[in-house]
Amino acid sequence: MWCQRLVHVDCHNNLSIETGDICDLGPLKRLILSPLCVKELHWTGAAGLISSITHGANELASNVRERIRSRGKKYRKGTISVDSDSSGTIDPPSDIEGDSQETNSAAKRREDHANGELPEVHESSESENDKQLLTENTTSIPNGQHEDSHVHNNQKYEIVDVPSDSRPLLVFINKRSGAQCGDSLRQRLQILLNPIQVFELGKQQGPEVGLTLFRKVPHFRVLVCGGDGTVAWVLDAIEKQKFEAPPPVAILPAGTGNDLARVLSWGGGLGIVEKQGGLFSVLKDVEHAAVTVLDRWKITIKDNQGKLMSQPKYMNNYFGVGCDAKVALDIHNLREENPERFYSQFMNKVLYAKEGAKNMMDNTFDYFPWDVKLEIDGSKINIPQDSEGILVANIQSYMGGVDLWKNEDDVSDNFHPQSMHDKMLEVVSFTGMLHLGRLQVGLSRAQRLAQGHHIKIEIKTKMPIQVDGEPWSQDPCTIVVSHHCQAFMLKRVSEEPIGHAASIMADVLENAENNGIITASQKRTLLHEIASRLL
């Protein structure tokens, strides 16, 4: 169904004899879930092992074959007219003439998709839409176990007998993410993959539905079409499923900043996807991507009496206190009042710059070094007196691609290079809004303060805070950042040999697990070791 092949009518009979008229699923066959592997639950018919999707697909294929044979016979008998002045185009038979325009249109769309063409997209704000969806979804069902049970009871399909060499792809699309082209992405991906592999995230459906369906599928991979907030949502859901070998996650960047997608080499937006060959090329990159590891961090907020002030939060990218969080909070409030102004990625950045400029003359953070106390691994760290904000970073991208730590710089301090899987965080400081602006255009660098595994921040006055782009105003408190877990991610392999080696090693380990040479736990340990040494 998804091989994307065009077969001449005269060649079809020979092809059907050679292949048995069985579709090999085309160049993306390792990522595609065959309809023969989908079983419909509570099936009342005699043939309960084949899903209705398979039944419909076979019926459609049978009809198509019948029409092709019919057209072939008519063509050989000369009953189909051919314009003498044309290039040999055959008029469609009368039984499908009414659908010819739609069929041609669909064929053109399939050709565009196979060639990797994407329509023009208008990227807009992502993180807040993600966070709103996440909040609404998680608050609707407070008990995760109850939610999993509810999902399981309403499951319509079961996946069975997946070939051992297959790596089926589970796709999550957040249509409210920055580009806001979820419907278009879903339609394209349902053409390139089995439609049952594509799930749209929303208020009524989170990632749990897809993860429950794929729970027993060995070696499946996940593609998240969204921004950093959507990725965090999916990673949280994967963790709750308690997989013995969690699936690795790739990212199709559809947000505003897309910082995590940038460090994993998936690009900074959908525009770069088109330049790299479109969705077909992205799927091939996902198939051959290298498995790497991302540290995830737990943020606990307590009052002066040591009582929890809110549920713990989890960080993948960064955590900021002070001037940078103030801009994020102002933008958040502006978006709540005027959501229509946030319709493109470019406009979002303009509004960020505008809010930053308004805060340049603000004296809110003149006493920041005295209002905030920083402790790392039990040692007190002095905050420079000209600082107006600090940022705790886990990855090498901030504000849409700014590298705050700059591993490649030759500096005289004793700090280690930054890594997203060394169970260590980096802390830097800013001197104000002008400093942030200069950082974004590459005219300055952040002040390195410390590295550590356990971070404690004491706030003595009300202060703006943001975690992975989610801002709020925080009352005086003590914030503790500690290592939570590590998640498997997929990194797009570039041309360097190391990336290809890591990708091949991951495939070898999965084959070894299939053959019973190693266990899932051993494979997980080895993947961690490969990621820490090579990526």
Side-chain angles (χ1 to χ4, degrees):
M1 293 176 64
W2 301 279
C3 61
Q4 309 293 323
R5 291 177 181 167
L6 298 177
V7 182
H8 193 277
V9 289
D10 287 343
C11 304
H12 182 263
N13 287 333
N14 292 334
L15 182 66
S16 63
I17 294 174
E18 293 174 1
T19 66
D21 235 11
I22 299 175
C23 178
D24 65 359
L25 304 181
L28 297 175
K29 59 185 177 183
R30 292 191 78 199
L31 297 180
I32 295 173
L33 184 65
S34 170
L36 300 175
C37 300
V38 182
K39 172 184 175 183
E40 186 175 23
L41 300 178
H42 314 299
W43 180 256
T44 56
L49 291 178
I50 301 179
S51 73
S52 60
I53 292 181
T54 306
H55 178 74
N58 291 337
E59 185 176 359
L60 175 62
S62 177
N63 290 337
V64 171
R65 287 195 295 269
E66 201 58 41
R67 288 182 180 178
I68 290 174
R69 292 190 182 103
S70 176
R71 290 175 62 185
K73 291 177 181 178
K74 291 180 180 180
Y75 178 77
R76 284 190 291 272
K77 292 179 180 179
T79 57
I80 298 181
S81 62
V82 181
D83 296 337
S84 59
D85 59 346
S86 69
S87 59
T89 303
I90 301 175
D91 293 337
S94 59
D95 62 332
I96 60 170
E97 188 171 359
D99 296 330
S100 62
Q101 184 176 358
E102 180 180 349
T103 303
N104 291 338
S105 218
K108 177 62 167 63
R109 287 195 301 271
R110 285 193 295 270
E111 184 179 355
D112 289 345
H113 301 326
N115 292 334
E117 295 182 11
L118 289 172
E120 181 181 359
V121 295
H122 302 280
E123 297 182 353
S124 61
S125 173
E126 177 276 331
S127 61
E128 290 304 319
N129 289 334
D130 285 343
K131 297 299 181 181
Q132 182 179 354
L133 268 180
L134 176 58
T135 303
E136 291 170 344
N137 195 280
T138 52
T139 53
S140 62
I141 303 177
N143 190 309
Q145 184 177 359
H146 169 71
E147 180 178 2
D148 290 342
S149 176
H150 177 74
V151 168
H152 181 74
N153 291 336
N154 287 277
Q155 187 173 323
K156 296 181 180 179
Y157 303 103
E158 181 182 5
I159 300 174
V160 297
D161 301 329
V162 178
S164 60
D165 63 340
S166 179
R167 302 292 182 265
L169 186 63
L170 173 60
V171 181
F172 293 113
I173 300 174
N174 186 351
K175 62 186 298 182
R176 295 181 61 184
S177 288
Q180 296 191 9
C181 59
D183 290 334
S184 177
L185 284 174
R186 175 172 51 81
Q187 291 170 3
R188 288 182 196 83
L189 288 167
Q190 286 178 340
I191 289 175
L192 293 170
L193 303 171
N194 188 331
I196 203 172
Q197 297 176 248
V198 184
F199 288 81
E200 189 173 289
L201 301 178
K203 297 179 182 179
Q204 305 302 323
Q205 177 174 282
E208 295 78 13
V209 178
L211 292 171
T212 301
L213 176 63
F214 274 67
R215 181 166 185 82
K216 296 181 181 179
V217 178
H219 313 310
F220 76 96
R221 296 186 167 197
V222 174
L223 174 63
V224 179
C225 304
D228 294 335
T230 309
V231 176
W233 186 3
V234 173
L235 290 179
D236 287 341
I238 290 175
E239 182 185 345
K240 292 176 182 177
Q241 293 288 322
K242 300 187 183 303
F243 290 100
E244 184 177 8
V249 178
I251 306 172
L252 181 63
T256 301
N258 301 308
D259 287 299
L260 187 53
R262 291 174 189 271
V263 300
L264 293 172
S265 302
W266 295 109
L270 290 179
I272 195 67
V273 171
E274 184 173 3
K275 294 179 182 178
Q276 292 175 349
L279 284 178
F280 182 88
S281 178
V282 169
L283 294 180
K284 293 297 291 183
D285 287 341
V286 171
E287 179 184 354
H288 299 291
V291 179
T292 187
V293 174
L294 173 71
D295 289 326
R296 305 193 71 211
W297 300 83
K298 181 179 180 181
I299 298 178
T300 307
I301 303 175
K302 298 181 179 181
D303 61 16
N304 295 331
Q305 285 73 42
K307 296 181 180 179
L308 282 175
M309 301 180 69
S310 63
Q311 291 295 321
K313 299 180 182 294
Y314 298 96
M315 178 192 80
N316 300 319
N317 299 356
Y318 40 73
F319 160 56
V321 181
C323 60
D324 77 303
K326 174 70 162 52
V327 178
L329 184 60
D330 289 344
I331 288 292
H332 168 76
N333 294 333
L334 182 62
R335 182 184 292 109
E336 292 293 314
E337 298 172 1
N338 304 285
E340 70 281 356
R341 298 179 64 182
F342 296 82
Y343 59 84
S344 72
Q345 185 181 35
F346 174 75
M347 182 53 64
N348 292 344
K349 292 183 177 181
V350 169
L351 293 172
Y352 266 94
K354 181 179 178 181
E355 291 300 316
K358 286 168 58 177
N359 289 320
M360 281 185 182
M361 303 304 295
D362 194 347
N363 297 325
T364 303
F365 303 104
D366 284 354
Y367 296 96
F368 182 86
W370 295 272
D371 292 334
V372 176
K373 302 299 180 184
L374 175 64
E375 183 180 301
I376 299 181
D377 292 342
S379 301
K380 292 183 178 179
I381 305 298
N382 293 326
I383 299 176
Q385 294 188 7
D386 59 349
S387 297
E388 294 189 5
I390 59 174
L391 187 110
V392 180
N394 184 46
I395 63 175
Q396 289 179 258
S397 182
Y398 171 68
M399 292 192 303
V402 178
D403 183 1
L404 297 176
W405 198 251
K406 295 188 179 297
N407 286 343
E408 69 278 5
D409 284 5
D410 185 15
V411 292
S412 58
D413 54 35
N414 295 320
F415 295 124
H416 300 289
Q418 186 178 26
S419 171
M420 64 181 182
H421 45 64
D422 59 357
K423 300 182 181 180
M424 185 177 293
L425 291 168
E426 287 70 36
V427 184
V428 299
S429 66
F430 310 122
T431 59
M433 299 310 306
L434 181 60
H435 189 196
L436 285 174
R438 291 170 62 86
L439 282 171
Q440 191 136 30
V441 296
L443 296 178
S444 185
R445 61 172 300 155
Q447 174 65 47
R448 294 183 177 185
L449 296 184
Q451 286 179 304
H453 307 277
H454 187 273
I455 296 176
K456 181 179 178 181
I457 301 174
E458 182 182 348
I459 299 174
K460 297 182 179 180
T461 186
K462 197 167 188 177
M463 191 76 65
I465 288 175
Q466 63 100 356
V467 175
D468 289 348
E470 179 189 4
W472 72 93
S473 185
Q474 178 64 50
D475 290 327
C477 66
T478 299
I479 302 172
V480 176
V481 184
S482 57
H483 191 264
H484 176 60
C485 66
Q486 289 184 315
F488 285 119
M489 307 297 294
L490 287 171
K491 185 174 183 179
R492 182 174 173 269
V493 175
S494 54
E495 297 302 323
E496 76 271 8
I498 291 180
H500 284 290
S503 176
I504 294 171
M505 288 181 186
D507 212 34
V508 169
L509 291 178
E510 289 175 348
N511 290 331
E513 183 189 0
N514 283 336
N515 295 327
I517 299 174
I518 60 175
T519 65
S521 177
Q522 290 171 330
K523 182 195 74 173
R524 183 174 181 174
T525 302
L526 290 170
L527 285 175
H528 274 279
E529 189 68 17
I530 291 171
S532 63
R533 291 179 180 272
L534 296 182
L535 299 171

